[in-house]
Amino acid sequence: GGPAVRLESPESGSGRRGVGAAPPARRYRLRDGCWVLCALLVCFADGASDLWLAAHYYVRGQRWCFGLTLLFVLLPSLVVQLLSFRWFVYDFAAGTKDGAGSTKDSARGPRGCCRLCVWLLQGLIHLLQLGQVWRYLRTLYLGLQSRWQAEHRRRHFYWRMMFESADISMLRLLETFLKSAPQLVLQLSIMVQQNNIEPLQGLSASASLLSLAWMIASYQKVLRDSREDKMPMSYKGAVVQILWHLFTIAARAIAFALFASVFQLYFGIFIVTHWCIMTFWIIQGETDFCMSKWEEIIYNMVVGIIYIFCWFNVKEGRSRYRMCIYYVITLSENTALTVLWFLYYDRKAISDFDALILVCVVSSSFALGIFFMFIYYCLLHPNGPMFGSHSGGCIFRPRPAPVPGSPTDAVTSPPRSLPRTTGGERDGAPGERDSCVPVFQVRPCAPPAPAARAPRTEGPVIRIDLPRKKYPAWDAHFIDRRLRKTILALEYASPTTPRLQYRTPGAPQEVLEYETTV
């Protein structure tokens, strides 16, 4: 019922196509493990500080504060744990069925006892709301194994580590914007109403803010690391991206808290209206993230929640223009919310000097965030520095089109993918697929000049009967767990690391080849 997948040996594929040479595969470094440990620490700090603050409210008899704080901890955590456990059920059930031959045979003997223990352990882990912690530790384990194992098994563990990193990034991104973002606004609103900042409130708000900024940067880094058509993000760029989102989200959250402390009803209307407009804008852009239409709609609704607080690129193309429009809207909203609060706040509870300080904090925090955004795009963008005499500008430098067969469109690390069909090949120019000579062909008097193509290389190819998704979407083998399971099985059985080949849309000969051979 899923997309067709086929493993070609070098002999079967060499007569029809040339395969681009692959650069050396990326290796798991110690700094990658340190990054995972820091992410785990941020996850722990966010959850523990919220629970500690909820207990503090309960002891002091602040029932409403206790109930809302606990609600924003438990409800998002339950949603994410259910999704994580659902992914485990599918992966483990499919893996044991394929590995054991049949479910009935594998249920007997030592193998059945091991499967039962795994089920009980995973059920207990997710019941205790520790699914993300387990996945972080598993990512760290797979990464270290990819350093210590022999060459072939090292590549296999690296593939599995990348898949696990994608899972935990998507789960944590969902959790932070369902839990940390509303928690941050709630605690800031309580501070403004009480005109007092308690240490636990400040700790909880700071942990929520750091978690939001960290996950946006971490998600973008893992996504770029998984895409072979994009350059990976450096850790310097990731840190600057954290600062960019840290200050812009802080300004946004403080403006929300100030407005909500005076206009509770209108704040709810504003949030719902902003979410509906942003969701409609995202749907109108026709994103291509998920494997089905209803999943795509749910994804767009979740991204609409993210757009309440910060920018999040979801579509390939002129993202800089969409980002400028978003930040102009955000600046206008922050200004309007802060000005309305300044006109109607309770002057008996807050002095004019303190009110001016809060207004300056909102404006300076937003300005700092935009400053770090310029630093990232001008100096630390993965595509190279966008500042200098050769760049033609800073952010608005037009990027050159990739040359077919160039390293930017070739493979850099597993999971590997071949260069896609060029425009000339789709228009009928001789290319890699023209090595299959038709039965009837009118030969010209002079042979045509050969088109530029990538050099041949030996190695098996896993061909997937799907068009490749455009960045910033994940590749289909990261989203579709059936594809992931099949690719891991084929990769493990292959003596050398296979390369992935997606179907090129609009190439009739390629479509015909899939229809007649798969």
Side-chain angles (χ1 to χ4, degrees):
V5 181
R6 177 156 52 95
L7 177 64
E8 288 186 351
S9 63
E11 294 77 10
S12 62
S14 59
R16 290 202 309 270
R17 70 170 70 211
V19 181
R26 300 175 194 159
R27 297 196 58 181
Y28 193 80
R29 298 165 297 176
L30 292 179
R31 69 185 69 175
D32 299 327
C34 294
W35 180 264
V36 174
L37 289 176
C38 290
L40 182 59
L41 181 62
V42 171
C43 179
F44 262 126
D46 188 17
S49 60
D50 292 341
L51 290 175
W52 192 4
L53 181 60
H56 176 72
Y57 285 143
Y58 181 79
V59 171
R60 295 183 56 178
Q62 297 175 288
R63 299 291 187 248
W64 275 104
C65 296
F66 162 74
L68 291 175
T69 302
L70 192 62
L71 176 67
F72 288 139
V73 172
L74 294 183
L75 186 59
S77 182
L78 288 173
V79 172
V80 174
Q81 297 300 323
L82 285 175
L83 181 59
S84 176
F85 189 72
R86 178 176 177 268
W87 288 354
F88 158 75
V89 169
Y90 183 88
D91 294 340
F92 187 69
T96 52
K97 184 174 181 180
D98 292 344
S102 68
T103 308
K104 184 181 296 184
D105 293 338
S106 63
R108 305 191 188 104
R111 186 185 296 272
C113 294
C114 292
R115 292 183 64 243
L116 179 61
C117 292
V118 172
W119 276 97
L120 292 176
L121 177 62
Q122 286 294 325
L124 180 62
I125 288 173
H126 287 84
L127 188 63
L128 295 176
Q129 310 299 299
L130 297 175
Q132 294 94 308
V133 176
W134 165 259
R135 289 184 180 274
Y136 271 128
L137 295 176
R138 179 172 169 79
T139 301
L140 185 61
Y141 166 77
L142 293 173
L144 294 176
Q145 287 294 322
S146 70
R147 286 180 57 91
W148 298 335
Q149 295 288 337
E151 181 63 26
H152 176 60
R153 290 186 60 81
R154 178 186 303 159
R155 294 191 299 265
H156 181 73
F157 276 105
Y158 192 88
W159 280 48
R160 294 171 61 189
M161 185 273 299
M162 288 300 300
F163 287 143
E164 196 67 47
S165 298
D167 286 346
I168 189 59
S169 297
M170 287 184 274
L171 288 172
R172 281 287 292 147
L173 185 71
L174 176 64
E175 183 185 34
T176 50
F177 280 94
L178 290 181
K179 183 185 77 171
S180 302
Q183 192 74 258
L184 175 62
V185 175
L186 173 65
Q187 301 310 324
L188 289 175
S189 301
I190 295 174
M191 294 178 203
V192 172
Q193 286 184 341
Q194 294 179 349
N195 194 22
N196 182 37
I197 301 178
E198 298 181 4
L200 279 179
Q201 290 175 332
L203 179 63
S204 174
S206 301
S208 298
L209 179 60
L210 179 60
S211 183
L212 286 166
W214 184 285
M215 280 317 302
I216 286 286
S218 179
Y219 178 90
Q220 296 293 339
K221 176 170 175 53
V222 174
L223 176 59
R224 276 191 165 270
D225 289 345
S226 72
R227 296 281 310 203
E228 305 308 335
D229 54 344
K230 293 294 178 179
M231 296 297 293
M233 183 188 298
S234 67
Y235 283 105
K236 292 180 182 178
V239 170
V240 172
Q241 239 197 57
I242 290 175
L243 295 174
W244 159 20
H245 294 296
L246 186 77
F247 287 107
T248 52
I249 295 175
R252 188 79 167 156
I254 295 173
F256 284 171
L258 294 176
F259 186 77
S261 65
V262 178
F263 306 99
Q264 290 86 0
L265 177 61
Y266 291 109
F267 174 70
I269 296 173
F270 165 76
I271 290 294
V272 173
T273 303
H274 181 91
W275 175 76
C276 291
I277 293 174
M278 290 293 122
T279 303
F280 177 77
W281 187 28
I282 297 165
I283 294 176
Q284 186 270 338
E286 297 180 354
T287 59
D288 184 24
F289 182 88
C290 302
M291 304 302 295
S292 64
K293 187 64 177 178
W294 69 270
E295 289 178 338
E296 194 73 33
I297 294 175
I298 295 176
Y299 167 75
N300 291 335
M301 295 171 66
V302 173
V303 175
I305 297 175
I306 298 177
Y307 270 39
I308 295 175
F309 295 91
C310 67
W311 164 255
F312 188 74
N313 188 24
V314 293
K315 196 173 189 302
E316 190 181 37
R318 300 178 180 271
S319 60
R320 54 184 178 269
Y321 299 120
R322 296 196 302 270
M323 182 173 62
C324 287
I325 293 173
Y326 174 82
Y327 276 118
V328 168
I329 295 174
T330 300
L331 178 61
S332 303
E333 290 178 345
N334 290 353
T335 304
L337 295 176
T338 308
V339 168
L340 286 173
W341 171 82
F342 187 78
L343 294 176
Y344 294 99
Y345 75 93
D346 187 3
R347 283 166 173 77
K348 295 180 180 179
I350 303 176
S351 65
D352 293 341
F353 180 74
D354 292 339
L356 285 174
I357 289 179
L358 288 174
V359 173
C360 292
V361 166
V362 173
S363 56
S364 60
S365 179
F366 188 82
L368 271 175
I370 298 301
F371 169 75
F372 281 111
M373 181 190 74
F374 273 85
I375 292 295
Y376 172 76
Y377 277 103
C378 293
L379 301 175
L380 297 171
H381 195 274
N383 289 348
M386 298 186 179
F387 181 79
S389 58
H390 300 287
S391 62
C394 181
I395 290 182
F396 297 96
R397 177 178 66 85
R399 298 177 183 175
V403 180
S406 64
T408 58
D409 200 35
V411 178
T412 55
S413 72
R416 302 184 169 192
S417 54
L418 295 178
R420 287 169 285 179
T421 307
T422 62
E425 294 175 28
R426 287 194 291 270
D427 296 336
E432 295 176 357
R433 296 194 170 273
D434 292 331
S435 56
C436 296
V437 181
V439 177
F440 300 99
Q441 180 181 15
V442 179
R443 299 185 180 275
C445 298
R453 66 183 66 181
R456 288 180 179 270
T457 185
E458 297 300 325
V461 179
I462 298 176
R463 302 185 60 205
I464 303 172
D465 189 18
L466 283 174
R468 190 178 190 184
K469 292 179 177 293
K470 295 182 179 180
Y471 181 84
W474 295 90
D475 281 324
H477 58 274
F478 279 89
I479 299 297
D480 192 328
R481 309 190 82 80
R482 300 167 298 176
L483 273 177
R484 181 188 301 191
K485 177 196 67 174
T486 306
I487 288 171
L488 282 174
L490 293 174
E491 190 275 337
Y492 189 77
S494 175
T496 58
T497 301
R499 298 157 62 100
L500 300 184
Q501 171 69 64
Y502 282 90
R503 187 182 68 200
T504 304
Q509 186 171 351
E510 186 172 359
V511 175
L512 177 63
E513 183 179 340
Y514 273 102
E515 291 176 349
T516 55
T517 58
V518 174

